[in-house]
């Protein structure tokens, strides 16, 4: 098959010949029996998400492996890491293998289960990390995401344990006692609205502690969804020491701010903006963008968190936290980082494909688009303008904060090892 008229990382127009799931040739004027016209689209290595909630097993009303990976493919992803806070929790080899097998069966994108750090996400006892690593799912990323591993001794043991198989602990940094009952960012607006605040220090204190622990035991640490300017400063300091710390930012924390809770196109107190960690201030957003540009923040991860309508369209205090994100991630990154001149397309490819694959230790993903590489390719038209219509999502859930917004760009096609999962913006 020939993929014609594409610009690799925004470069010159070329054609790509794909054979046996790999890139066989890159050139101009390539001919073949089967062709796909890229129409001048940018070709990126297939996107890799380090932080997706697929909700299966247990909350198939919100999302399934099938719909979540369809959503991923439509967003240009060829691999996702499925978070462990399912029901039952993915804390055994049996559950991670179940999720991994479902991913293989539907084959819209690769599914790499994340293993829980502690049994039942309860923060009391380490889960069977070694058995999950040795399972068919070959788990390398472990996280209690949704909850923080707040016991320093358990966190230390987990960091030590995963060294044996080059695993990484991905921490949801939230000091639980500082955030009891927290509803939104602690600041001027939470004070005015009378909502319990989620202070920046609750994130930053855990990040500082865990960077020190990771350095102490010489292990790999990843920080999920960094959301404050102070977190960025701590991670910058840890990296300057040469410590093995990586981190992610979500698209929504690069674009949206806490004042939307008070005043937005969809009114005040609209739970569509309720998310954990919460939307922060404009100064935080600016710091996160600068840190993603200079490499202090390594990657963008979606924290795609589907919720059914009844869990989201309710009063603020009762609503579930989280937003769907797979199908809008690249557009939001274009808006926040590319249109602002902070990143070029090579920079986007690093932060949304190459480096997340490296952190997750995925061999066949996040490879530069070169001859011999697996043909995991995303075609993206940055000149398109799309009004976000949640009813068109492949995701089972609709809880997007971007409904009705016009965002730049459109995923034209996605190829997983040479096989199209999306063509002309539609699932194959
Ligand atoms: Zn989280």
């Amino acid at each position: 098959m020939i993929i014609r008229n594409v610009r690799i990382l925004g470069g010159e127009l070329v054609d790509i010949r794909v054979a046996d799931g790999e890139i066989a040739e890159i050139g101009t004027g390539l001919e073949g029996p089967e062709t796909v016209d890229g129409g001048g689209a940018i070709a990126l290595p297939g996107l890799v998400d380090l932080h997706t909630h697929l909700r299966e097993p247990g909350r198939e009303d919100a999302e399934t492996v099938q719909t979540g990976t369809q959503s991923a493919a439509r967003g240009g992803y060829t691999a996702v890491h499925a978070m462990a806070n399912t029901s039952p929790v993915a804390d055994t080899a049996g559950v991670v293998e179940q999720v991994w097998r479902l991913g293989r069966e539907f084959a819209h994108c690769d599914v790499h289960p994340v293993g829980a750090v502690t049994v039942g996400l309860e923060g009391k006892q380490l889960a069977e990390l070694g058995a999950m690593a040795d399972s068919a799912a070959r788990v390398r990323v472990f996280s209690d995401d949704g909850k923080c591993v707040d016991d320093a001794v358990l966190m230390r043991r987990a960091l030590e344990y995963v060294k044996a198989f080059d695993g990484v602990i991905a921490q949801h940094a939230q000091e639980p006692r500082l955030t009891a009952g927290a509803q939104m960012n602690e600041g001027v607006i939470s004070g005015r609205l009378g909502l319990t605040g989620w202070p920046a220090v609750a994130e930053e204190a855990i990040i500082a502690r865990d960077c020190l622990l990771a350095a102490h035991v010489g292990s790999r640490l990843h920080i999920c969804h960094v959301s404050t300017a102070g977190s960025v400063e701590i991670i910058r300091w840890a990296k300057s020491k040469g410590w093995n710390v990586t981190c992610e930012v979500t698209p929504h924390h690069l674009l949206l701010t806490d004042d939307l809770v008070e005043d937005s196109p969809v009114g005040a107190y609209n739970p569509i903006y309720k998310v954990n960690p919460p939307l922060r201030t404009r100064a935080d957003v600016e710091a996160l963008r600068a840190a993603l540009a200079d490499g202090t923040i390594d990657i963008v991860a979606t924290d795609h968190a589907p919720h059914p309508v009844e869990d989201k369209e309710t009063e603020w205090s009762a609503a579930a936290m989280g937003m769907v994100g797979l199908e809008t991630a690249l557009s939001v990154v274009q808006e926040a980082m590319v249109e602002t001149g902070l990143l070029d397309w090579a920079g986007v490819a690093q932060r949304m494909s190459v480096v997340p694959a490296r952190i997750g230790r995925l061999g066949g993903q996040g490879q530069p688009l070169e001859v011999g590489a697996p043909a995991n390719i995303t075609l993206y038209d940055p000149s398109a303008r799309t009004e976000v219509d949640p009813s068109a999502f492949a995701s089972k859930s609709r809880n997007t904060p971007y409904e009705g917004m016009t965002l730049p760009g459109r995923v034209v096609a996605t190829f997983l090892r040479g096989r199209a999962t999306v063509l002309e913006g539609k699932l194959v």
Side-chain angles (χ1 to χ4, degrees):
M1 183 187 62
I2 313 285
I3 304 170
R4 298 183 58 240
N5 294 321
V6 297
R7 297 184 289 128
I8 295 174
L9 305 181
E12 297 297 309
L13 272 181
V14 294
D15 306 331
I16 300 173
R17 184 193 306 280
V18 173
D20 300 324
E22 291 188 350
I23 296 175
E25 187 181 2
I26 297 171
T28 52
L30 301 187
E31 304 281 349
E34 192 190 343
T35 61
V36 172
D37 189 356
I42 290 175
L44 301 169
L47 306 185
V48 176
D49 195 16
L50 202 63
H51 192 148
T52 309
H53 295 276
L54 293 179
R55 303 293 190 219
E56 188 173 3
R59 284 308 301 267
E60 291 84 353
D61 57 329
E63 196 78 285
T64 63
V65 173
Q66 180 172 19
T67 60
T69 53
Q70 286 174 334
S71 180
R74 281 198 77 218
Y77 287 86
T78 52
V80 299
H81 288 78
M83 275 299 172
N85 62 339
T86 48
S87 179
V89 170
D91 58 3
T92 64
V95 178
V96 294
E97 284 189 351
Q98 178 192 350
V99 173
W100 177 78
R101 285 213 176 84
L102 285 167
R104 299 248 298 188
E105 184 182 322
F106 299 118
H108 305 295
C109 75
D110 290 349
V111 175
H112 297 278
V114 173
V117 177
T118 69
V119 174
L121 308 178
E122 285 178 350
K124 296 198 175 76
Q125 185 189 341
L126 276 191
E128 48 179 67
L129 309 183
M132 289 188 273
D134 290 340
S135 74
R138 297 186 50 77
V139 176
R140 290 295 176 272
V141 182
F142 296 87
S143 182
D144 274 4
D145 182 61
K147 288 186 175 173
C148 181
V149 182
D150 68 309
D151 182 315
V153 175
L154 262 181
M155 187 64 184
R156 175 190 178 159
R157 282 205 203 109
L159 286 163
E160 285 173 334
Y161 200 101
V162 298
K163 274 172 79 174
F165 39 83
D166 198 23
V168 63
I169 304 294
Q171 175 71 292
H172 170 116
Q174 178 182 3
E175 211 294 319
R177 294 190 51 176
L178 285 171
T179 52
Q183 294 289 322
M184 69 171 293
N185 179 47
E186 180 179 300
V188 176
I189 294 169
S190 68
R192 203 149 58 211
L193 296 180
L195 291 173
T196 307
W198 196 134
V201 66
E203 175 173 308
E204 294 154 8
I206 293 291
I207 293 176
R209 182 202 75 178
D210 286 355
C211 286
L212 293 165
L213 278 174
H216 182 62
V217 303
S219 191
R220 284 210 290 147
L221 169 70
H222 179 79
I223 307 293
C224 298
H225 41 51
V226 165
S227 72
T228 78
S231 297
V232 166
E233 286 308 307
I234 294 162
I235 290 160
R236 189 171 281 134
W237 167 76
K239 287 189 167 192
S240 77
K241 298 280 200 183
W243 299 344
N244 214 337
V245 177
T246 57
C247 67
E248 71 195 30
V249 64
T250 71
H252 48 272
H253 287 109
L254 290 171
L255 195 66
L256 307 177
T257 49
D258 65 347
D259 52 332
L260 290 164
V261 181
E262 184 176 45
D263 181 25
S264 83
V266 286
Y269 297 98
N270 192 317
I272 203 71
Y273 300 115
K274 188 174 177 184
V275 63
N276 187 7
L279 301 178
R280 304 288 189 181
T281 67
R282 176 51 54 187
D284 293 306
V285 167
E286 295 302 330
L288 295 169
R289 289 181 179 187
L292 183 64
D294 74 18
T296 303
I297 295 177
D298 301 84
I299 64 168
V300 175
T302 67
D303 195 5
H304 176 83
H307 290 292
V309 169
E310 59 272 24
D311 289 355
K312 214 49 195 173
E313 290 182 11
T314 174
E315 64 173 305
W316 180 279
S317 61
M321 293 189 269
M323 303 166 168
V324 292
L326 287 166
E327 290 171 74
T328 48
L330 197 45
S331 288
V332 173
V333 169
Q334 182 183 346
E335 171 93 358
M337 301 300 295
V338 181
E339 306 278 292
T340 52
L342 290 165
L343 280 185
D344 59 14
W345 292 107
V348 171
Q350 282 291 315
R351 288 156 182 80
M352 297 183 77
S353 175
V354 178
V355 181
R358 195 182 296 154
I359 293 169
R361 297 293 190 257
L362 308 184
Q365 294 281 349
Q367 307 285 315
L369 299 181
E370 296 168 353
V371 171
N376 297 317
I377 305 170
T378 299
L379 301 187
Y380 185 71
D381 175 8
S383 67
R385 291 289 177 276
T386 314
E387 185 177 323
V388 178
D389 173 13
S391 70
F393 285 168
S395 171
K396 221 172 202 187
S397 291
R398 305 279 180 256
N399 52 306
T400 174
Y402 310 113
E403 179 171 7
M405 275 177 71
T406 298
L407 290 176
R410 171 173 171 266
V411 173
V412 177
T414 310
F415 299 89
L416 177 63
R417 286 180 287 280
R419 191 178 51 80
T421 55
V422 170
L423 280 179
E424 292 173 11
K426 295 188 173 59
L427 289 167
V428 174

